[in-house]
Amino acid sequence: MGMIINIDEALKLRSDYNILKEPLHAMMRSQQEAWERENPIDFIFSRGSLASFQETYTSSIGFAHAFAETADYAVGPIFNTAEGFSATYRTRTFQGGFIISQQVLEDGQVRRVKDDATAFVKRWHGDIVEYAIKSLAGGFGEDAFYEAGDGIKSRLRLTSADTATGDIMDTTKNPLFYNKHTIVKREGMTAAEIQDAYQSNLFYVATDDLKIGGNDAGQISKLADVINQVITHMENLKDDNGKRAGVLNAKTIVTGNDAHLKAALATALSAEVFMQGETKFPNPARERATLKTSPYFLDIDMCKDGAGFFIVDKSYNEENHGLELTERIPFTLNAFEKKEAPRGIKYEGRQRFDINVATWRGVAYVRLGTPTGAGDGWNKLANYTRITPTETIVKPVSVVGTVTTKAEG
């Protein structure tokens, strides 16, 4: 994502503005590059662009089969393909600005200008991160809202391309995170067959089975087993045609910067073995994924207080239109002289982007704890698939009795 700074010709003639122009622009570009080097958005989202107002992506369900056994010299059968589910990518317009006052220009206060401009650019990029992460909260079947300081709300809801019934003409789309994702309903398929093909990317571990930070000495081994189960489930997913999808690329676990969960996940992904007495058991989650955390993810219920984590296959998403920050117009700053009060140079920022998604298979969510069952989204138990960890490998040692001896003498 780039940044464009447009300067009106009249401003170039102002000596007081020219004193500030180059250091200001250099700083803004530096700030832009700093965000792009380690941006929480890139932990979970791909980046893309639109060349037009909107673009529709339609999956091809390919061929159900490519060959069948025939008698010698018989004419081979002809197989047909068809279109699958579709999703339309769009963008929204975001604007904001700040003013370099006439007094600052007259006094040539370069440091003051740089401080204000730095704060503005940092906040712009911070808002994008907050917007993107808040959009994840809109992927569980109910609306989420991004609220700006002036009370304006952006309504956010992420759905995948697949439909509730499997019929490509059905307008009811499934939530991004759901346990009843469908394949394409071909001619002759029944509702029961569609139901039998349901797939999930929304999981929970019951509170009684695993408590991070609790007194269960085997919590890390249980967490490792949960990670391995979910990643293996993702690897075995089927595509819109009911064939293996191939979600086999490197995985990233993404969550908030919660001390207990962060430490538990890091240990679960790095430990070589777990011990039971003198017996060593290999760690099923070792190097199965890399871990990325950010304080920004603590702002959504899905990661707050160590509530859960996402597992992402970014390569699959990039190839198949998974979670994406889609940009139409990059961050643009237009500067012009403001002659009415407050006088000075006004910078107006503008950018067109949004979060879009077509395929759900490249991302999963794991909740640590039993959903309450309330609401239609994140708390709705019926939307989840339960993951049960294996019995703990590391068992606590308890003292069952004591013996007191008295020394002779």
Side-chain angles (χ1 to χ4, degrees):
M1 302 178 75
M3 180 170 73
I4 300 170
I5 302 178
N6 295 324
I7 307 300
D8 188 90
E9 281 295 323
L11 298 181
K12 295 181 180 180
L13 302 177
R14 292 189 52 149
S15 59
D16 54 1
Y17 178 74
N18 284 334
I19 293 173
L20 304 174
K21 182 174 64 176
E22 290 309 318
L24 175 61
H25 294 178
M27 181 283 307
M28 286 183 172
R29 291 193 173 93
S30 175
Q31 190 67 48
Q32 172 91 8
E33 292 167 1
W35 269 101
E36 291 177 351
R37 280 194 296 269
E38 185 73 0
N39 194 320
I41 289 174
D42 297 313
F43 297 168
I44 197 167
F45 297 94
S46 303
R47 293 180 186 262
S49 60
L50 289 181
S52 58
F53 167 70
Q54 65 181 38
E55 293 183 19
T56 299
Y57 299 103
T58 302
S59 66
S60 171
I61 59 174
F63 296 90
H65 292 284
F67 67 81
E69 183 181 1
T70 64
D72 288 344
Y73 307 112
V75 177
I78 299 298
F79 296 98
N80 296 317
T81 185
E83 288 187 347
F85 299 121
S86 62
T88 300
Y89 280 31
R90 299 182 178 90
T91 60
R92 309 186 196 196
T93 300
F94 301 89
Q95 298 184 91
F98 69 101
I99 294 175
I100 303 173
S101 71
Q102 182 69 30
Q103 179 179 334
V104 170
L105 290 169
E106 291 169 350
D107 294 344
Q109 298 178 23
V110 177
R111 178 175 294 183
R112 168 70 182 278
V113 173
K114 291 178 68 174
D115 288 347
D116 288 350
T118 297
F120 179 78
V121 175
K122 286 181 67 175
R123 186 63 263 151
W124 187 284
H125 287 289
D127 283 355
I128 296 175
V129 174
E130 291 178 3
Y131 179 90
I133 292 175
K134 179 65 74 171
S135 71
L136 291 173
F140 290 78
E142 57 188 357
D143 292 340
F145 295 91
Y146 174 79
E147 298 187 35
D150 56 4
I152 298 175
K153 292 184 178 182
S154 298
R155 179 173 174 266
L156 307 172
R157 178 175 287 208
L158 288 180
T159 60
S160 54
D162 63 306
T163 64
T165 61
D167 187 338
I168 62 173
M169 302 303 292
D170 189 345
T171 58
T172 303
K173 301 285 188 177
N174 286 323
L176 172 59
F177 298 100
Y178 197 43
N179 65 350
K180 297 180 178 64
H181 286 293
T182 54
I183 62 173
V184 171
K185 184 177 181 181
R186 288 181 175 271
E187 185 178 354
M189 289 184 69
T190 64
E193 289 174 322
I194 293 295
Q195 184 172 333
D196 289 342
Y198 283 161
Q199 299 180 95
S200 180
N201 67 336
L202 182 57
F203 307 93
Y204 82 97
V205 185
T207 307
D208 293 339
D209 289 337
L210 174 60
K211 178 66 174 178
I212 299 299
N215 58 8
D216 181 359
Q219 61 186 278
I220 302 302
S221 64
K222 288 183 177 181
L223 179 61
D225 181 64
V226 168
I227 292 169
N228 182 55
Q229 284 194 56
V230 175
I231 290 179
T232 301
H233 180 94
M234 294 174 72
E235 293 171 339
N236 293 336
L237 289 171
K238 294 184 178 181
D239 63 16
D240 291 346
N241 196 31
K243 306 299 181 181
R244 297 298 174 186
V247 192
L248 303 172
N249 307 290
K251 303 296 189 294
T252 304
I253 292 178
V254 181
T255 191
N257 197 33
D258 177 84
H260 290 154
L261 181 56
K262 179 179 179 179
L265 287 168
T267 305
L269 294 172
S270 61
E272 293 186 13
V273 295
F274 297 116
M275 298 289 295
Q276 181 180 352
E278 298 298 321
T279 305
K280 296 181 179 180
F281 294 87
N283 176 8
R286 178 172 167 77
E287 298 180 348
R288 290 284 272 153
T290 56
L291 175 63
K292 291 286 189 180
T293 64
S294 170
Y296 281 96
F297 289 94
L298 297 175
D299 295 336
I300 57 175
D301 290 337
M302 298 79 202
C303 298
K304 185 185 299 182
D305 298 324
F309 54 90
F310 298 92
I311 301 181
V312 187
D313 186 326
K314 277 195 66 176
S315 294
Y316 182 86
N317 284 338
E318 289 170 354
E319 296 168 2
N320 297 276
H321 304 296
L323 272 170
E324 178 184 287
L325 175 63
T326 311
E327 188 178 63
R328 176 75 174 95
I329 301 296
F331 178 28
T332 302
L333 281 172
N334 293 301
F336 59 90
E337 185 173 6
K338 192 172 184 293
K339 296 182 178 181
E340 70 277 6
R343 298 181 62 189
I345 305 299
K346 183 177 181 180
Y347 274 88
E348 287 189 343
R350 183 175 182 269
Q351 190 171 356
R352 289 179 61 187
F353 68 90
D354 204 1
I355 302 300
N356 290 289
V357 62
T359 182
W360 55 270
R361 295 175 181 85
V363 61
Y365 174 74
V366 182
R367 179 167 175 163
L368 301 175
T370 306
T372 63
D376 294 324
W378 182 64
N379 274 324
K380 188 173 183 178
L381 181 61
N383 290 348
Y384 284 80
T385 297
R386 182 173 179 175
I387 295 289
T388 303
T390 57
E391 287 296 319
T392 177
I393 295 173
V394 183
K395 297 182 179 179
V397 177
S398 58
V399 178
V400 296
T402 59
V403 177
T404 303
T405 60
K406 183 177 181 181
E408 296 181 1

